[in-house]
Amino acid sequence: MAHESRPRTRGFRKKEKTRRELIAAGLRVLAEKGQGMTVSDVVAQAGVSNGTFYNYFVDRDELIE
C-alpha cells in the first residue's frame, strides 16, 4: 500500500515560514555587520522576539551554520 503524505497543518507552515524569515534576516544582518551580528540584530530585522529565535536556534552560530 502506498504511503499517503498528510497535508501540512497551518501551524507547521507557520513554523516553516518563521524559520525561513529568521534565516533571511540573519543573512541580511550578516552581510551588513559581519561576524559582529547579534541575536538582537537578527530578531529586530525579522520582527520577532528573542524567545522566538531560541525556539529555532541554539545561538547565532547555529543560525550562521
Side-chain angles (χ1 to χ4, degrees):
M1 187 187 276
H3 174 67
E4 294 181 33
S5 62
R6 289 185 265 175
R8 293 185 173 162
T9 64
R10 182 177 14 177
F12 182 83
R13 289 189 306 264
K14 184 176 186 237
K15 284 182 178 184
E16 281 187 328
K17 181 180 180 224
T18 301
R19 183 175 173 82
R20 284 192 311 269
E21 288 172 354
L22 282 165
I23 291 169
L27 289 171
R28 288 190 301 269
V29 173
L30 187 60
E32 216 175 89
K33 296 191 173 193
Q35 290 294 323
M37 81 173 204
T38 65
V39 169
S40 294
D41 297 330
V42 175
V43 298
Q45 179 73 226
V48 300
S49 69
N50 280 349
T52 297
F53 177 89
Y54 291 108
N55 285 332
Y56 294 88
F57 302 99
V58 173
D59 56 22
R60 73 174 197 103
D61 294 331
E62 183 179 358
L63 172 65
I64 292 170
E65 286 178 17

